[in-house]
Amino acid sequence: MLPRRICVVSISNQKEKKGRYAVKKRYCMINHIPAIIFGAPSDKVYLFVHGKCGSKEDAQNFAEIACDKGFQVLSFDLPEHGERMDNAEKLVPWEVVPELQGVLSYAKRHWQSVSLYAVSIGTYFSLLSFSNEHFANCLFLSPVLDMAALIEKMMGWAAVSPEQLQLKKEIPTDFGEVLSWAYYTYAKEHPINTWNSPNAILYAGQDNLTDRRTVIDFADIFGCSLQIYEDGEHWFHTDEQLAVLRKWEKTYL
């Protein structure tokens, strides 16, 4: 449901420094899902869940940091992304949640310790999928934490009332999203009430998708470490923003 004009992409597309060691990676399939495993064999792994308009390759730069610290990184394509652009599966929670749970089951079978890195809407899907899990560590970048509130915000942008959406079921918008009554009702019926893992959040002060109050309340309720980068945007993409991101990753890895 994130507007296509605001996409979390390219967090790993910066040019490699001359002479930098290229992290090992192996492409594989987990069930029917294209995935990449970064790094040399290890007993601990980060499960990387990318954001809207992203792909499994977005884990590259984080993997270079994590693998240097002895982790592997497991990244995969969400529906309608990466190698799955033309597949039948849709980026809706009732389809994504079983997939994420299957990927986590795979990770548990192959690694002793599993941590989580989730970006934007990838965070929302992770919160839905893993509410009863306990990860060794979690990192959330520009997290979507309240999907119902985000859909209501987008309804406001499009001047669409709940009554109109209920009547029409789906309404296209001029910012590239299709508002969905089914998605909206699912989000309201599945609030995020449980999270059991140690967590660090990097939030941008200029994020116009997740409200500041929402992220502060989430951090307070679930005991998360919260860093607010006032000059940042929902999509971390400038050199300065990426430098802040890399420092945060190294600090909370």
Side-chain angles (χ1 to χ4, degrees), residues 15-247:
K15 294 180 180 178
E16 291 188 3
K17 295 179 181 179
K18 187 175 181 180
R20 174 190 277 181
Y21 170 73
V23 65
K24 294 174 60 177
K25 57 186 174 183
R26 176 170 64 87
Y27 289 83
C28 63
M29 299 291 288
I30 301 176
N31 300 324
H32 62 285
I33 302 170
I36 304 175
I37 300 173
F38 296 86
S42 172
D43 61 359
K44 54 186 181 178
V45 69
Y46 264 90
L47 181 62
F48 186 98
V49 187
H50 67 74
K52 186 73 177 277
C53 304
S55 71
K56 61 187 176 300
E57 284 77 14
D58 280 3
Q60 176 75 40
N61 270 358
F62 173 69
E64 292 182 359
I65 297 171
C67 294
D68 188 56
K69 300 297 183 181
F71 292 88
Q72 289 185 283
V73 176
L74 171 61
S75 182
F76 57 97
D77 287 328
L78 290 171
E80 300 185 83
H81 289 73
E83 295 182 56
R84 305 178 68 190
M85 288 292 292
D86 299 321
N87 290 9
E89 299 87 1
K90 299 300 181 184
L91 191 72
V92 291
W94 49 91
E95 293 192 29
V96 174
V97 166
E99 288 194 357
L100 263 64
Q101 291 173 340
V103 173
L104 178 59
S105 293
Y106 174 91
K108 286 181 172 181
R109 292 195 302 271
H110 290 81
W111 288 274
Q112 294 180 18
S113 173
V114 181
S115 295
L116 174 68
Y117 188 127
V119 182
S120 186
I121 196 173
T123 304
Y124 173 66
F125 292 141
S126 296
L127 291 169
L128 288 173
S129 304
F130 307 140
S131 60
N132 295 319
E133 301 292 340
H134 183 83
F135 293 94
N137 190 40
C138 298
L139 303 177
F140 290 168
L141 171 63
S142 296
V144 172
L145 302 169
D146 187 338
M147 181 58 75
L150 175 54
I151 295 173
E152 289 166 358
K153 181 178 293 190
M154 290 193 288
M155 289 166 62
W157 294 345
V160 171
S161 70
E163 293 74 20
Q164 289 172 312
L165 188 57
Q166 184 177 17
L167 179 64
K168 295 187 175 181
K169 304 306 179 186
E170 291 188 348
I171 299 177
T173 69
D174 60 6
F175 48 81
E177 280 299 321
V178 176
L179 296 170
S180 163
W181 178 253
Y183 205 137
Y184 180 46
T185 54
Y186 181 98
K188 290 197 298 181
E189 292 169 359
H190 296 81
I192 307 303
N193 296 321
T194 305
W195 192 245
N196 299 312
S197 300
N199 215 126
I201 297 172
L202 178 57
Y203 174 78
Q206 308 305 311
D207 192 326
N208 67 343
L209 299 185
T210 298
D211 292 339
R212 182 183 296 248
R213 186 74 260 165
T214 298
V215 74
I216 291 174
D217 287 347
F218 183 93
D220 286 345
I221 292 170
F222 298 113
C224 307
S225 172
L226 172 61
Q227 179 176 330
I228 299 177
Y229 172 44
E230 293 295 350
D231 295 331
E233 305 164 80
H234 185 80
W235 171 30
F236 279 64
H237 63 288
T238 69
D239 288 344
E240 180 180 337
Q241 292 166 358
L242 288 169
V244 171
L245 172 58
R246 299 280 92 87
K247 182 178 179 180

